[in-house]
Each structure stands twice: as structure tokens, then as C-alpha cells.
Amino acid sequence: MSAPIDSVGTLATPTVTRVRVTVNRFIFRGMLFTMGAIAVVMYRLIRNKNVTWRFAKAQARTLSRLCGVRVRVRGLEHLGSGPYMFTPNHQSNFDIVALLGYLPGNNRFAAKKEMFAEPVLGTVLRTMGMIPIDRDNPLEAIQLLNQLTIDHFSTIIFPEGTRSRDGHLLPFKKGPFVAAIHLGVPVVPVVCKGTQQVMPKGQYLSILPGEVEMVVLEPIATTGLTYDDRDQLRELVRSRIAAELKKESWVLSPGS
């Protein structure tokens, strides 16, 4: 097996890798808190909210570049004006960075309500209009999603509900598909590849340089579907994501 090559073409050593991971950890934490705080202030002071969203999306792309992660996107030609229910697989926390920075539109994430209790992150989530998911009160989330649809915003929901530790696709929960049918919006499967390698679960904010691919699949219409169709819709979306994950990809391993 050949030795890995880093981004400047020299042989990567464990020491170099550890240093880069440490630097990336500071970059990630620093940008999360400082750029998050700036976004909150901008959102509250600037009347045109699109300015804040452009700033947030640009900072997500900057974070990727600073950490040595290259993100490529395929399938954007499938998208129109929306709104959509985006349902990506969830390999790592870097999925959120890639989706925020490279998926078009000012999309709102749906997240576990516990995340909204965190002092800094919770303030950012609430200010930017993200959707808290309370399993004990799903009706509240439906009402918030309905308002987003009226305002013509798309939503990003991870149907696995949590990150996969090994990259294998987990079972999908029915909630996103019930919501999409109720709202009458198309479901768009999104496939994140390589994010688990650049930001492994269980390694505290460790980001390795590498390449990530995000594939936007064709929207699936929900017009005419009923609650009884939820399981069929769920399995259709999961099967399309699974099929894409099995395809050969140009994505390189970290440090390749």
C-alpha cells in the first residue's frame, strides 16, 4: 500500500495529520461561534434576510476550503424553484456544512429540539428559523413546516434521524414523508458521499482534508398521495439513495 499524499504533494506523516486535525478543529469551533454570532446580529439588524443567508452560505463554503475539504455537487439541474423536502443521508456533521453551503436556496434544517437548548448553537438555530423536532409534539413541527411552505422555503430533514457510524444507510423514519405528503411538496433525495471519511463520528470535531460529493436526485412528487402512502414513499426514497451510494465514485479518501 502506498503512503498517502497530502494536499501539497508531499508524503503525509502521522504528525502532519495530527497537526492538521488540530488546526481544523480550531477553525471549525472558531467559525461556528464567531460566524454564528455575526449571523444572529445581521439577521436581527438587516431588513433583507437574504443578505444574512448569503453570508451564512458563503461562510460554510469558506469553512470547507479552510479545512482542506473539496465539495462537488451533481444533479442541481433537477431542481426548480421549490419548495422541496430535501431528505439527505447522514454520515457526519460535515453533511450540514456541505448542505448549507452548496445546496441552492435559503433552506431550513429540521433538528432535534435538544440542540436548540445549547446557548450559542440554539440561538443561531432559532434566529435563522430552523425547525425543532419534538417527538412528543409532532404537530408543532408540522405547523412550522407549513408556514415555511407558504413562505416558499425548502426544508432539509435527515430521515435516518441520526448519523451513521460506519457510513451504512440506517432505517428511515416516517416523519419527513408524512410531513411532505401533508404539505404536498416534492421530496428530493440527496446523497452525501465522503463526509464520514472527512469528519468521522466519535472523533471530537476532527476534520481531515479530502473530497466530498453531494448528489441531488430527481424530485418525487407527493401530489395525490395520502397518509397510507407514507411507507411506500419512504422506501422509494431510501432505495434511490442506497442505489446511488453503491455507485462507483471519483471521491478521494482523506489525504489522497
Side-chain angles (χ1 to χ4, degrees), residues 13 49 59 67 73 78 87 94 115 118 121 136 138 145 148 172 202 205 209 217 228-229 246-247:
T13 65
K49 306 307 179 186
Q59 293 308 308
C67 290
V73 186
H78 296 142
T87 56
F94 204 86
M115 297 181 66
E118 297 183 15
L121 180 59
D136 295 327
L145 290 170
L148 288 182
F172 280 13
L205 297 183
L217 304 180
D228 292 336
D229 298 308
K246 290 179 181 178
K247 292 182 180 179

Side-chain angles (χ1 to χ4, degrees), residues 42-61:
M42 291 177 63
Y43 202 86
R44 291 176 176 175
L45 295 181
I46 300 176
R47 180 172 298 180
N48 185 352
K49 306 307 179 186
N50 288 327
V51 174
T52 305
W53 275 101
R54 286 197 294 270
F55 170 81
K57 293 171 72 68
Q59 293 308 308
R61 295 191 294 270

Side-chain angles (χ1 to χ4, degrees), residues 66-192:
L66 289 177
C67 290
V69 179
R70 184 179 183 182
V71 181
R72 293 191 180 183
V73 186
R74 291 193 289 115
L76 293 181
E77 68 276 5
H78 296 142
L79 300 179
S81 59
Y84 297 109
M85 178 76 71
F86 292 107
T87 56
N89 63 311
H90 200 8
Q91 293 190 341
S92 83
N93 282 331
F94 204 86
D95 297 329
I96 298 171
V97 177
L99 291 163
L100 173 61
Y102 294 90
L103 200 60
N106 300 339
N107 310 302
R108 272 52 172 177
F109 284 86
K112 292 182 293 186
K113 69 172 185 176
E114 290 78 9
M115 297 181 66
F116 289 75
E118 297 183 15
V120 177
L121 180 59
T123 300
V124 175
L125 293 174
R126 288 190 297 271
T127 302
M128 301 292 284
M130 305 307 179
I131 306 299
I133 300 298
D134 184 352
R135 292 181 181 176
D136 295 327
N137 186 15
L139 181 59
E140 180 182 5
I142 289 288
Q143 291 171 340
L144 293 171
L145 290 170
N146 186 58
Q147 186 58 50
L148 288 182
T149 303
I150 293 173
D151 294 336
H152 217 68
F153 293 121
S154 295
T155 308
I156 301 171
I157 301 181
F158 295 107
E160 291 168 281
T162 188
R163 289 167 288 160
S164 170
R165 282 193 173 274
D166 57 8
H168 288 91
L169 204 58
L170 299 175
F172 280 13
K173 300 184 182 302
K174 66 180 180 181
F177 309 101
V178 172
I181 291 171
H182 174 78
L183 299 171
V185 298
V187 175
V188 180
V190 180
V191 187
C192 298

